[in-house]
Amino acid sequence: MAEIKEKEMFMNPYVIQMDKFADSLVHLSSTFLTLEKYKGTFSKDEIDEMFLRVTGKVCENCEQKAQCLGEKRVHTYQMMYEILCTAEQYGAELNVELKRKLQKRCQMAPRFLRESLETFENAKQILMWNNRMVQNREGYVGQLASFAKMIQYTTRELDAGIFRDDHLEKRLKTQLKKSGIRMLSSVFYMTPQGKYEIHLTVKTSKGRLASTKEIAALVGKCVGRDLLPEQGERPVIGEDYCTVAFVESARYHTLQGVAKIGKGCEKISGDTFLMADLPGGKKGIALSDGMGSGEEAFRESAMVVEMLEELLEAGFPVDTAVQMMNTALVIGREEIRFSTLDISLFDLYNGTCEFVKAGAAATYIKRQDTVEKISSSTLPIGVLQEIEIESQVRELHSGDYVIMLTDGVLDALPVNEQDTLLTTFIQDSRIVNPKELAHHILGQVLEWSGEVPVDDMTILVVGIWKR
């Protein structure tokens, strides 16, 4: 009943339709959960079937068949069961006592043993693959459930944020017309953070062009807010109608720099990083360290970073994005290949930063006279079906720096002095440029170790300032 009342609050037909779509995904995931469950051992029926398969092959032409499968059937069954239990515990190398017992009871002992072991191994393979299918199915269930929640959340957020303002629309149309720009339609949206986002479908009069920055200034003047074209928006408007988006400019901006070196000074590093402008006035910085080093580790970490970028740019919450990536890496893989993931999400409207780690090294925040360390004990992605994701939020001030690094940097320093030395390198530096600061820290680490890098090393530095 509560669910029905909640839906009755949203009369928008698009919201209702997307709710139906999300409900179908939830129903599909529930259906998956009713299918075959995970099995740790064989059932009695499966063991009986193995017994029939073994005796059918071994005992068919044996002169003692009637006796062994008649009055002594229980003993024969028990003998095969003992073989299976011993093989499960110790492998194919059975103990001498069991082999002697088998030879006394069965004149076809070598073949009976061989067929029992082969049948058991085949059944184990089938059980393993069935369990793998169940595990993969459970992974897909989690993906579907997350996707359904994301659809419902996004739909409601959009529906709650979109509003009509006929007076503002009329004023915009008049002001733009004075500048030779014709407006066909408008959509006004208020983000959950209380920031304006305006989408206009416009074109210019014949024979002229207009820059989106100029239009943003005109729109901002009408609205009474400082607006900019959305990141990646087209720079120029022409004679054909097109839709452009304008968003409020952020209070903060970032500059970032990177310094890296491969294992043994190789050109290819297994570390990959991401720097991307995200929806809602956020800046995403991510660093991934693939298992091992070199080209294979690079491919693994690059795949992780590319997936993360696509999910975050699509608007997925960071914890959902990381969980979906983890499931994608675990499902369908024979071998474990993990990657660490270190994410810093800067909110350029309010100056906060969210730190999300999965098996990553510590992150350091450099302020005027102090250095704060942010660490985590989580596992990398790609190891377990369900992973724990730790998230911490810090308020940053103009002139602060966030320093992210991979394990190779820490491992180059003495075990009991890693944090002390890194904090000293960071705190003692008066370098302002993030790229120069990253190279300075890496240079200090290499100089202190005095050796060729034994692992890939990457340092990312992000500085934040008020506009």
Side-chain angles (χ1 to χ4, degrees):
M1 179 66 75
E3 184 181 355
I4 294 173
K5 284 183 178 178
E6 182 185 355
K7 289 185 179 179
E8 284 176 351
M9 293 170 62
F10 300 92
M11 302 307 292
N12 189 319
Y14 295 107
V15 175
I16 295 172
Q17 185 59 42
M18 293 308 292
D19 264 344
K20 289 179 181 178
F21 182 46
D23 287 343
S24 68
L25 292 178
V26 172
H27 179 71
L28 181 60
S29 64
S30 301
T31 303
F32 279 155
L33 290 175
T34 62
L35 301 177
E36 185 180 6
K37 304 292 184 182
Y38 184 88
K39 289 170 56 179
T41 58
F42 295 110
S43 65
K44 185 179 182 307
D45 289 341
E46 288 169 328
I47 295 175
D48 290 347
E49 187 178 340
M50 282 188 264
F51 178 74
L52 293 174
R53 190 173 294 128
V54 171
T55 55
K57 289 182 179 179
V58 178
C59 306
E60 186 63 32
N61 299 317
C62 179
E63 58 188 24
Q64 294 186 359
K65 175 183 176 181
Q67 185 179 13
C68 291
L69 299 181
E71 61 185 45
K72 293 185 177 181
R73 182 182 180 87
V74 174
H75 298 292
T76 307
Y77 186 94
Q78 182 65 30
M79 182 174 65
M80 189 200 76
Y81 186 74
E82 286 182 29
I83 293 172
L84 301 188
C85 291
T86 307
E88 174 68 19
Q89 190 169 2
Y90 302 107
E93 293 298 322
L94 305 182
N95 57 48
V96 177
E97 184 181 345
L98 182 59
K99 288 182 179 179
R100 285 176 180 171
K101 188 188 295 185
L102 179 60
Q103 288 172 345
K104 286 181 181 179
R105 290 185 181 179
C106 178
Q107 64 181 18
M108 308 264 304
R111 190 179 173 196
F112 189 91
L113 175 60
R114 187 175 66 251
E115 290 293 342
S116 296
L117 292 174
E118 286 183 4
T119 301
F120 179 63
E121 283 302 315
N122 290 336
K124 268 180 65 177
Q125 284 293 323
I126 294 171
L127 180 65
M128 182 189 74
W129 282 109
N130 283 343
N131 285 339
R132 177 65 62 83
M133 289 172 63
V134 172
Q135 184 185 37
N136 289 350
R137 193 161 57 231
E138 288 175 350
Y140 290 131
V141 166
Q143 300 279 40
L144 287 172
S146 296
F147 191 41
K149 288 180 182 177
M150 181 66 188
I151 290 172
Q152 290 176 326
Y153 171 78
T154 304
T155 305
R156 280 159 171 71
E157 186 183 79
L158 287 172
D159 187 60
I162 294 174
F163 64 93
R164 287 187 60 86
D165 190 330
D166 295 333
H167 178 68
L168 177 57
E169 183 175 22
K170 187 176 179 180
R171 193 164 72 224
L172 276 174
K173 189 174 289 188
T174 302
Q175 289 298 323
L176 290 173
K177 189 176 181 180
K178 289 178 181 178
S179 300
I181 299 164
R182 180 173 294 181
M183 187 178 86
L184 180 65
S185 63
S186 62
V187 175
F188 303 110
Y189 175 68
M190 183 75 74
T191 70
Q193 296 79 27
K195 304 299 179 181
Y196 266 49
E197 188 174 307
I198 298 175
H199 297 250
L200 302 180
T201 301
V202 292
K203 73 172 184 176
T204 60
S205 56
K206 253 187 177 183
R208 70 180 300 268
L209 298 173
S211 74
T212 50
K213 285 187 178 180
E214 292 174 8
I215 299 174
L218 284 170
V219 175
K221 190 175 180 181
C222 290
V223 176
R225 302 198 180 201
D226 188 13
L227 297 181
L228 292 172
E230 191 174 43
Q231 183 71 27
E233 192 58 83
R234 67 183 69 206
V236 176
I237 305 300
E239 298 176 21
D240 296 322
Y241 276 116
C242 61
T243 301
V244 289
F246 305 99
V247 296
E248 284 197 53
S249 59
R251 293 171 56 204
Y252 295 85
H253 74 282
T254 60
L255 289 176
Q256 47 277 335
V258 61
K260 60 190 301 187
I261 187 170
K263 177 182 178 181
C265 298
E266 290 289 333
K267 291 183 179 180
I268 298 178
S269 169
D271 301 340
T272 311
F273 59 89
L274 155 73
M275 300 175 182
D277 294 298
L278 303 175
K282 291 188 176 181
K283 182 83 172 184
I285 309 292
L287 181 58
S288 178
D289 182 0
M291 178 179 167
S293 62
E295 191 171 343
E296 193 169 354
F298 168 75
R299 284 199 301 268
E300 194 76 13
S301 62
M303 178 180 66
V304 167
V305 165
E306 287 170 6
M307 279 197 296
L308 177 67
E309 183 175 11
E310 288 185 5
L311 290 170
L312 292 180
E313 286 184 344
F316 280 87
V318 63
D319 54 343
T320 303
V322 173
Q323 187 60 61
M324 291 176 73
M325 288 165 54
N326 178 69
T327 305
L329 290 177
V330 171
I331 286 177
R333 282 194 163 189
E334 289 298 312
E335 58 181 2
I336 293 176
R337 293 201 61 83
F338 59 82
S339 294
T340 66
L341 195 54
D342 197 0
I343 305 169
S344 297
L345 290 177
F346 295 82
D347 190 320
L348 302 181
Y349 285 125
N350 59 26
T352 61
C353 185
E354 181 181 7
F355 300 95
V356 179
K357 291 180 176 292
T363 295
Y364 297 84
I365 301 176
K366 181 183 188 310
R367 297 191 170 95
Q368 285 186 343
D369 300 314
T370 61
V371 175
E372 181 185 359
K373 175 186 172 185
I374 297 176
S375 57
S376 167
S377 58
T378 53
L379 290 173
I381 61 173
V383 179
L384 301 175
Q385 184 82 23
E386 292 289 334
I387 62 168
E388 182 184 356
I389 302 169
E390 284 188 8
S391 173
Q392 301 181 52
V393 178
R394 295 289 186 275
E395 184 178 349
L396 302 178
H397 303 282
S398 184
D400 287 352
Y401 295 86
V402 171
I403 296 100
M404 303 164 66
L405 43 86
T406 54
D407 286 334
V409 177
L410 290 170
D411 294 342
L413 299 172
V415 174
N416 296 324
E417 301 178 56
Q418 294 170 336
D419 290 330
T420 304
L421 287 171
L422 266 173
T423 300
T424 302
F425 298 156
I426 294 168
Q427 191 166 4
D428 290 351
S429 174
R430 293 295 176 261
I431 298 172
V432 176
N433 184 288
K435 185 176 181 180
E436 291 178 7
L437 179 56
H439 281 275
H440 169 75
I441 298 170
L442 181 59
Q444 291 283 89
V445 172
L446 292 172
E447 185 180 341
W448 186 271
S449 67
E451 299 177 352
V452 174
V454 295
D455 194 6
D456 300 322
M457 301 167 68
T458 301
I459 298 177
L460 273 171
V461 177
V462 185
I464 185 168
W465 292 273
K466 273 190 175 180
R467 291 185 182 275

